[in-house]
């Protein structure tokens, strides 16, 4: 994925890898490290917490913690790559694009997902995909990253009713 | 003491006495995220878009109401302000009926300030909307307690193990009570200071120390929180007047030299310059009074976001 | 027309009786022999008691009929096992004139299924400034004078009232509250009021007036009865005074031994009453007072309020709870079964002989020829309080859903059954 990002984006100094907590952030850091190894350039990273931009307020029984977002300023002239572990309905990505708007107006937005499992509810597609994984809607995809989950790296597909 | 719950489940914020330390930490961490919103280009998130918030301030207040109003606007909510004068409560409508009318108008959140202790509980048990207590009589003022806690945590890096002195009219203070509940849960040591008539020994049963000698307490404090002295006529049996109060309990410049250099000076506002606190001290380096205001916005955004986010049963 | 109550445990403290036996009612009196074959009531397993007397109820008429009427209050009394009740003068107009007393008595005669006896005011309009026409009130038929709901603060006025009452031979009852010490107190001044930021009602506010009354009772040589005693300090004062022979007495209400001030933390106005719920220490002292006879009368302070009046912010709600329909059960359950403070005979005595004696009433006994006012009690009957099915017009009780053991099952006034369980 790092290679693809480098190929697609000539000006790495204008790039921001913005991860969606928690695993997107870890992935963004890993990608930045890989890019540094490939292109000897350190790209900026950031955090986009989408909790404040969701469209299902008042419908949940409990809420998880919100993390502070953080993006470099200014965003104009920059390319922000949204980084997340799983791309599913596309709603999280939509919320992330919305969140980025309150920070400024980047020149270009791209999306990097470790796993694309299909079943989009919105017209959104990823620019960089680690693996395409066809799934049934009722199935679950779980990504585990060592630095976030204290488990070995892995992608798990859980069948329905498991 | 820094552990927090994994998820928030309350639709109301009625007081801090019933919150666990983990829940309080959760709110403070959420407030961190919302404080960041104040640094963005567009200081607005759509979290409460389409939601209606009613500021029902039966007891008047400009500061707290404005703070809630700003917090709600930054969350993209729609706001209606109702004060005692503009409400039909003056025409004899009961609080219960006022609430039902608001609900019929699809209010999602009601921020209530009322002179009767227990009024938010009363409301919350009768309507489906989220109820946020903005101060009920002398009982609690939970968002003030939270923002005071947030400010201490921000400036000192922790709360546990610190010594906080709360000074003034404690008996009639909801700010004092909310602070006491929150600080004790977070592992701080609390000393209340004031005249014995306004700081009775009974408070020791809550787990705090009581002192009537301000000069003895000041050198040991990491934070002093000064309460407003209310000089309505009801208090005349409790202390003989401002002159004597200032002599005994006012944070004068002379007294301030007793403070540790890194001691924080806090005040919920509005300040009576020259009464609770010398005018210069209020603006001095140790004063974090304005930080309290800024943090109040972040804390209230967090509280509104969390409580309104919970589905009503 | 005669009725035979068969095989019950007859507890008649006035006559030193506690035995299984039969009791005969002839017309409206306790009788000896019957000409005709009597109707029978099987009282196996039940206590046969003189009709119970509650000397502290509020029936709200004239003036506050939406809370309770004499008619509905009487039905509530009957459902609680009470055949005689004494109602308080804080009506509108206050019971400070013979015409109001006449109205109350007339109304009671028309609609009440139990005996309703009025008290008269100590001071005009209960304002504590001028004496009410106490002699005329006595002539009009009051059984005592009291400013209940209020309390005469001026000790000189109270002294003159007691002297005057002595001349007329009328007992004095007092709601002990020092207005200055109490201020706008809502709940017991203690840990909970401090924690919750509610204005406190200090025990000293009751004790100061109990002390006042002890001094005046001694000075004027006339009995003063302290209503709804709630604090340990009051019990101690009464005990010491009575040991010296001073003519003071005190009564206890069920809520003051069933609940503590811890119950107020949900701001439920059904726990708001005057005097307020106090601490476990106070409960222990009240129980001791009941056990050693310092407190020798039990009463309810039945204080009905409409739902809309109680369903408001805590500080705006009126003080008081209904009590007639839970009183006996709470006393049996708490005093006899749980705390074992007293036995059933003493309990009956405190609800019959003692109040009758205080007020000079011809009631509270099962003597031959006495009015056939009888209460049948099942001391083991387990039941759950359901406020929704109260006879009273009001439902303001903290005891809804309480599981209690012991209940009146039949109430007989003048030989006629006015209420029956089931």
């Amino acid at each position: 994925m790092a290679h693809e990002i480098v190929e697609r984006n000539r000006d790495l100094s204008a790039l921001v890898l913005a991860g969606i907590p928690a695993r997107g952030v870890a992935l963004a850091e890993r990608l930045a490290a890989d890019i540094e190894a490939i292109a000897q350039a350190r790209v900026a990273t950031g955090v986009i917490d989408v909790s404040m931009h969701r469209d299902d307020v008042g419908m949940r029984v409990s809420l998880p913690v919100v993390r502070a977002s953080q993006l470099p300023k200014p965003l104009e002239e920059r390319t922000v790559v949204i980084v997340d572990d799983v791309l599913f309905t596309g709603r999280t990505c939509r919320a992330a694009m919305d969140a980025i708007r309150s920070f400024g107006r980047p020149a270009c937005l791209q999306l990097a997902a470790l796993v694309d499992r299909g079943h989009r509810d919105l017209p959104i597609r990823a620019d960089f995909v680690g693996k395409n994984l066809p799934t049934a809607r009722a199935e679950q995809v779980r990504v585990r990253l060592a630095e976030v989950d204290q488990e070995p790296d892995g992608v798990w597909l859980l069948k329905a009713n498991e | 003491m820094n552990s927090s719950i994994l998820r928030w489940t309350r639709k109301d914020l009625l007081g801090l006495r019933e919150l666990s330390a983990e829940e309080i930490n959760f709110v403070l961490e959420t407030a961190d995220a919302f404080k960041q919103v104040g640094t963005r280009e567009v200081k607005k998130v759509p979290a409460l878009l389409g939601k209606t918030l009613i500021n029902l301030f039966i007891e008047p207040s400009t500061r707290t109401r404005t703070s809630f109003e700003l917090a709600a606007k930054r969350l993209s909510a729609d706001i209606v302000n109702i004060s005692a004068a503009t409400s039909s409560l003056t025409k004899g409508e009961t609080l219960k009926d006022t609430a039902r009318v608001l609900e019929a108008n699809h209010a999602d959140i009601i921020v209530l300030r009322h002179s009767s202790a227990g009024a938010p509980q009363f409301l919350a048990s009768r309507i489906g909307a989220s109820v946020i207590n903005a101060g009920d009589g002398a009982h609690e003022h939970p968002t003030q307690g939270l923002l005071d806690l947030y400010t201490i945590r921000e400036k000192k890096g922790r709360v546990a193990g610190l010594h906080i002195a709360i000074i003034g009219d404690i008996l009639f203070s909801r700010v004092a009570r909310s602070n006491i509940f929150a600080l004790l849960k977070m592992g701080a040591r609390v000393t209340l200071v004031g005249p014995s008539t306004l700081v009775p020994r009974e408070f020791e049963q809550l787990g705090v120390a009581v002192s009537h000698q301000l000069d003895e307490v000041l050198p040991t404090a990491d934070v002093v929180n000064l309460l407003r002295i209310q000089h309505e006529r009801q208090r005349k049996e409790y202390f003989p007047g401002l002159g004597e109060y200032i002599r005994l309990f006012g944070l004068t410049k002379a007294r301030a030299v007793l403070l540790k250099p890194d001691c924080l000076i806090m005040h919920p506002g509005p300040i009576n310059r020259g009464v609770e606190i010398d005018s210069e001290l209020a603006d001095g380096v140790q004063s974090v009074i304005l930080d309290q205001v800024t943090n109040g916005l972040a804390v209230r955004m967090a509280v509104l976001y969390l409580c309104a986010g919970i589905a009503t049963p | 027309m005669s009725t035979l109550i068969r095989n019950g445990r007859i507890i008649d403290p006035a006559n030193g009786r506690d035995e299984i036996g039969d009791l005969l009612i002839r017309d409206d009196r306790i009788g000896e022999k019957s000409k005709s074959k009597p109707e029978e009531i099987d009282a196996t397993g039940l206590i046969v008691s003189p009709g119970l007397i509650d000397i502290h109820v509020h029936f709200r008429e004239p003036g506050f009929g939406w809370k309770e009427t004499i008619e509905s209050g009487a039905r509530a009394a009957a459902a609680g096992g009470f055949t005689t009740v004494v109602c308080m003068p804080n009506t509108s107009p206050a019971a400070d004139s013979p015409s109001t007393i006449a109205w109350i008595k007339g109304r009671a005669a028309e609609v009440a299924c139990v005996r309703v006896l009025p008290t008269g005011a100590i001071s005009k309009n209960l304002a504590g400034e001028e004496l009410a026409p106490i002699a005329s009130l006595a002539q009009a038929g009051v059984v005592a004078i009291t400013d209940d709901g209020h309390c005469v603060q001026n000790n000189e006025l109270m002294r003159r009232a007691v002297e005057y009452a002595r001349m007329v031979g009328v007992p004095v009852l007092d709601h002990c509250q020092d207005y200055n010490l109490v201020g706008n107190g809502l709940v017991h001044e203690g840990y909970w009021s401090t924690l919750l930021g509610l204005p406190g009602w200090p025990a000293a506010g009751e004790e100061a007036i109990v002390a006042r009354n002890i001094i005046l009772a001694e000075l004027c040589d006339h009995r003063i009865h302290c209503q709804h005693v709630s604090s340990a300090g009051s019990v101690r004062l009464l005990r010491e005074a009575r040991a010296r022979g001073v003519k003071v007495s005190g009564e206890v209400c069920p809520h003051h031994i069933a609940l503590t001030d811890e119950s107020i933390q949900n701001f439920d106005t059904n726990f708001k009453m005057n005097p307020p719920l106090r601490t476990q220490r106070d409960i222990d002292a009240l129980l001791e007072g009941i056990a050693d006879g310092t407190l020798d009368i039990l009463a309810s302070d039945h204080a009905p309020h409409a739902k809309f009046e109680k369903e408001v912010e805590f500080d705006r709600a009126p003080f008081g709870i209904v009590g007639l329909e839970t009183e006996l059960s709470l006393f049996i359950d708490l005093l006899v079964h749980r705390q074992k403070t007293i036995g059933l005979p003493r309990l009956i005595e405190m609800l019959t002989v003692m109040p009758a004696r205080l007020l000079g009433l011809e009631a509270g006994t099962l003597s031959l020829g006495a009015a056939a006012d009888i209460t049948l009690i099942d001391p083991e009957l387990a039941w759950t309080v359901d406020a929704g099915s109260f006879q009273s017009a009001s439902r303001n009780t903290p005891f809804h859903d309480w599981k209690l053991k012991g209940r009146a099952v039949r109430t007989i006034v003048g030989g006629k059954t006015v209420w029956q369980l089931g």
Side-chain angles (χ1 to χ4, degrees):
Chain A
M1 278 172 75
H3 276 107
E4 286 176 31
I5 293 175
V6 171
E7 257 179 50
R8 182 84 178 267
N9 294 284
R10 294 285 140 200
D11 183 5
L12 292 177
S13 66
L15 206 59
V16 181
L17 300 178
I20 297 179
R23 298 188 187 87
V25 175
L27 284 170
E29 292 295 331
R30 288 194 188 191
L31 282 171
D34 287 348
I35 290 173
E36 187 162 8
I38 296 167
Q40 285 80 50
R42 177 78 206 162
V43 300
T45 56
V47 178
I48 305 276
D49 188 290
V50 300
S51 313
M52 303 173 194
H53 297 268
R54 294 174 65 118
D55 54 11
D56 58 356
V57 178
M59 295 192 228
R60 301 155 87 194
V61 177
S62 65
L63 295 177
V65 76
V66 180
R67 305 249 178 267
S69 298
Q70 175 232 325
L71 289 178
K73 284 191 199 172
L75 281 187
E76 286 65 22
E77 325 264 316
R78 299 184 91 135
T79 296
V80 176
V81 181
I82 300 169
V83 183
D84 205 1
D85 56 345
V86 178
L87 175 57
F88 182 23
T89 60
R91 289 184 189 276
T92 303
C93 178
R94 185 212 64 77
M97 293 198 286
D98 214 40
I100 291 169
R101 256 191 30 215
S102 61
F103 285 85
R105 195 171 174 281
C108 175
L109 283 181
Q110 295 166 1
L111 174 64
L114 185 65
V115 174
D116 181 346
R117 61 170 292 196
H119 299 290
R120 217 75 75 232
D121 285 346
L122 305 170
I124 288 186
R125 55 129 185 80
D127 298 277
F128 314 103
V129 179
K131 172 139 187 79
N132 280 298
L133 187 64
T135 61
R137 224 176 214 259
E139 289 170 337
Q140 282 183 56
V141 173
R142 286 207 200 135
V143 172
R144 291 287 176 262
L145 299 176
E147 64 268 45
V148 174
D149 305 289
Q150 279 78 50
E151 279 173 41
D153 289 355
V155 178
W156 298 88
L157 175 62
L158 287 98
K159 298 283 178 192
N161 303 322
E162 240 173 279
Chain B
M1 273 287 178
N2 269 326
S3 64
S4 79
I5 47 169
L6 291 177
R7 300 181 80 87
W8 179 264
T9 52
R10 290 178 188 266
K11 85 158 172 75
D12 308 301
L13 181 65
L14 305 177
L16 298 183
R17 187 166 76 91
E18 58 260 29
L19 294 190
S20 66
E22 291 75 24
E23 284 178 297
I24 293 178
N25 273 323
F26 190 94
V27 177
L28 299 181
E29 282 173 25
T30 309
D32 283 333
F34 281 97
K35 190 161 182 184
Q36 190 282 325
V37 174
T39 64
R40 298 188 190 182
E41 282 290 312
V42 177
K43 297 174 188 16
K44 207 168 166 93
V45 296
L48 293 186
L49 188 64
K51 299 289 174 192
T52 305
L53 178 145
I54 314 269
N55 270 330
L56 186 54
F57 275 61
I58 309 306
E59 211 188 64
S61 152
T62 313
R63 303 161 59 96
T64 306
R65 209 203 64 215
T66 307
S67 183
F68 271 107
E69 192 171 337
L70 271 173
K73 286 190 166 152
R74 291 209 174 161
L75 295 168
S76 306
D78 296 321
I79 296 126
V80 175
N81 286 314
I82 300 180
S83 69
T86 58
S87 80
S88 355
L89 287 163
T90 50
K91 295 191 193 135
E93 186 182 57
T94 63
L95 183 60
K96 180 179 168 196
D97 284 323
T98 302
R100 287 160 117 205
V101 167
L102 292 177
E103 203 162 37
N105 278 319
H106 304 291
D108 298 292
I109 310 164
I110 300 188
V111 176
L112 178 67
R113 169 167 284 196
H114 200 297
S115 55
S116 301
Q121 271 85 346
F122 179 89
L123 213 57
S125 60
R126 283 167 178 79
I127 60 175
S130 292
V131 176
I132 311 295
N133 182 4
D136 63 329
H139 179 221
E140 286 228 42
H141 190 354
T143 55
Q144 182 72 43
L146 288 169
L147 74 90
D148 285 349
L149 203 59
Y150 187 94
T151 307
I152 296 172
R153 173 179 166 272
E154 179 186 61
K155 298 292 178 189
K156 294 283 189 179
R158 65 186 168 114
V159 178
L162 295 181
H163 180 203
I164 287 91
I166 307 179
I167 302 162
D169 173 358
I170 310 287
L171 185 60
F172 295 99
S173 169
R174 53 185 168 227
V175 173
R177 284 182 177 82
S178 287
N179 262 282
I180 289 170
F181 299 141
L183 290 168
L184 291 179
K185 270 189 236 269
M186 304 309 270
R189 187 162 66 92
V190 177
T191 302
L192 307 176
V193 187
S196 55
T197 45
L198 292 174
V199 192
R201 294 268 144 208
E202 219 100 38
F203 273 97
E204 285 170 352
Q205 294 176 58
L206 272 53
V208 301
V210 167
S211 166
H212 310 301
Q213 310 298 330
L214 183 58
D215 294 356
E216 280 174 19
V217 176
L218 289 180
T220 66
D222 298 301
V223 178
V224 298
N225 199 342
L226 306 165
L227 302 177
R228 226 176 97 72
I229 278 301
Q230 298 159 91
H231 32 111
E232 292 100 59
R233 233 177 300 133
Q234 297 95 304
R235 304 288 183 265
K236 71 166 161 38
E237 289 138 4
Y238 289 85
F239 74 96
L242 291 183
E244 188 147 302
Y245 181 83
I246 296 167
R247 234 170 282 129
L248 291 173
F249 300 105
L251 189 65
T252 57
K253 271 209 294 229
R255 285 217 166 87
V257 305
L258 297 169
L259 292 172
K260 294 194 215 177
D262 59 350
C263 179
L264 303 178
I265 297 178
M266 297 175 57
H267 192 302
I271 314 167
N272 284 325
R273 285 175 186 267
V275 181
E276 303 96 50
I277 181 172
D278 172 270
S279 191
E280 276 176 40
L281 285 173
D283 307 320
V285 292
Q286 290 167 301
S287 161
V288 295
I289 295 174
L290 290 176
D291 295 277
Q292 287 174 274
V293 177
T294 309
N295 293 333
L297 198 45
V299 163
R300 290 180 174 121
M301 285 176 77
V303 166
L304 291 177
Y305 165 79
L306 288 172
C307 292
I310 300 299
T312 53
Chain C
M1 166 70 221
S2 44
T3 312
L4 185 67
I5 302 176
R6 288 192 57 251
N7 202 31
R9 178 181 171 190
I10 300 175
I11 299 183
D12 182 13
N15 294 304
R17 238 180 127 187
D18 181 1
E19 61 197 357
I20 309 284
D22 299 344
L23 192 70
L24 182 70
I25 304 172
R26 283 193 62 180
D27 299 318
D28 60 345
R29 306 251 142 211
I30 309 278
E32 205 160 23
K33 282 194 265 279
S34 170
K35 290 204 174 91
S36 49
K37 179 150 190 339
E39 249 189 58
E40 287 198 358
I41 297 176
D42 180 12
T44 310
L46 303 178
I47 295 172
V48 180
S49 158
L52 304 177
I53 303 170
D54 188 334
I55 60 165
H56 194 153
V57 305
H58 295 267
F59 278 3
R60 308 300 190 200
E61 278 194 308
F64 301 110
W66 62 86
K67 300 174 196 258
E68 189 87 276
T69 61
I70 291 173
E71 190 271 329
S72 63
R75 274 188 290 110
F82 291 86
T83 58
T84 300
V85 292
V86 176
C87 52
M88 295 297 116
N90 58 339
T91 48
S92 176
D96 63 357
S97 75
S99 56
T100 307
I101 303 299
W103 186 89
I104 295 172
K105 291 186 69 162
R107 190 79 190 130
E110 268 173 48
V111 302
C113 60
V114 303
R115 303 182 200 279
V116 176
L117 306 176
T119 55
I122 293 175
S123 66
K124 282 202 186 127
N125 206 27
L126 311 179
E129 280 159 19
E130 291 175 61
L131 288 181
I134 295 171
S136 310
L137 292 173
Q139 274 183 357
V142 304
V143 298
I145 54 164
T146 172
D147 265 6
D148 182 56
H150 301 263
C151 176
V152 173
Q153 300 292 292
N154 183 330
N155 294 332
E156 163 67 0
L157 182 73
M158 188 65 174
R159 174 199 180 163
R160 301 305 167 195
V162 174
E163 282 175 358
Y164 202 90
R166 181 174 194 278
M167 171 185 86
V168 171
V170 149
V172 178
L173 318 175
D174 199 24
H175 162 115
C176 304
Q177 178 177 348
D178 180 312
Y179 292 169
N180 286 313
L181 280 173
V182 172
N184 50 8
L186 297 177
V187 298
H188 173 67
E189 183 188 274
Y191 172 79
W192 286 100
S193 68
T194 303
L195 187 77
L196 298 175
L198 289 168
W201 197 129
E206 174 179 293
E207 291 153 15
I209 301 297
V210 170
R212 185 275 298 273
N213 289 341
I214 289 169
I215 291 168
L216 291 184
E218 197 166 16
L219 180 64
C220 307
D221 188 30
H222 186 62
R223 171 167 299 276
I224 301 181
H225 172 78
C226 297
Q227 299 173 294
H228 44 51
V229 173
S230 69
S231 93
S234 300
V235 180
R236 183 181 52 80
L237 286 165
L238 288 171
R239 182 179 291 122
E240 286 164 4
R242 285 161 70 93
R244 287 188 297 111
V246 179
K247 293 174 179 163
V248 271
S249 57
E251 77 195 18
V252 183
C253 299
H255 43 278
H256 288 120
I257 53 172
L259 299 164
T260 63
D261 57 347
E262 190 173 345
S263 334
I264 51 149
Q265 56 182 307
N266 295 320
F267 300 98
D268 183 341
T269 57
N270 283 325
F271 293 84
K272 178 181 177 180
M273 62 283 278
N274 184 0
L277 302 172
R278 300 200 190 272
T279 68
Q280 187 58 49
R281 208 184 125 257
D282 296 294
I283 292 182
D284 294 340
L286 291 171
L287 294 177
E288 252 185 70
I290 292 171
D292 71 13
T294 301
L295 302 162
D296 55 9
I297 294 180
L298 301 172
S300 67
D301 195 5
H302 175 89
H305 293 290
K307 182 159 181 273
F308 75 85
E309 295 175 303
K310 277 293 218 180
E311 204 177 359
V312 294
E313 303 88 301
F314 193 83
D315 58 343
R316 286 174 208 198
F319 291 94
I321 54 168
V322 290
L324 279 166
E325 295 173 78
T326 46
E327 178 182 1
L328 179 65
S329 296
L330 282 165
F331 282 136
I332 295 177
D333 191 276
L334 290 168
L335 294 174
V336 177
H337 291 316
R338 286 185 209 269
Q339 304 289 346
K340 308 200 194 321
T341 313
I342 50 175
L344 284 164
R346 175 62 181 167
L347 177 66
I348 304 289
E349 193 174 30
M350 293 174 78
L351 285 168
T352 53
V353 174
M354 305 310 299
R357 203 177 284 166
L358 175 75
L359 301 180
L361 303 176
E362 269 191 45
T365 80
L366 294 175
S367 310
L368 213 51
D373 290 351
I374 301 162
T375 306
L376 298 185
I377 302 169
D378 184 341
E380 302 295 324
L381 179 62
W383 67 294
T384 304
V385 178
D386 174 21
S389 51
F390 279 173
Q391 294 294 312
S392 165
S394 290
R395 306 264 172 278
N396 50 318
T397 177
F399 301 116
H400 179 69
D401 265 354
W402 276 46
K403 301 191 177 350
L404 299 172
K405 200 162 81 141
R407 192 176 184 181
V409 298
R410 193 175 190 129
T411 308
I412 297 167
V413 175
K416 232 178 58 158
T417 295
V418 295
W419 179 83
Q420 199 174 320
L421 185 61

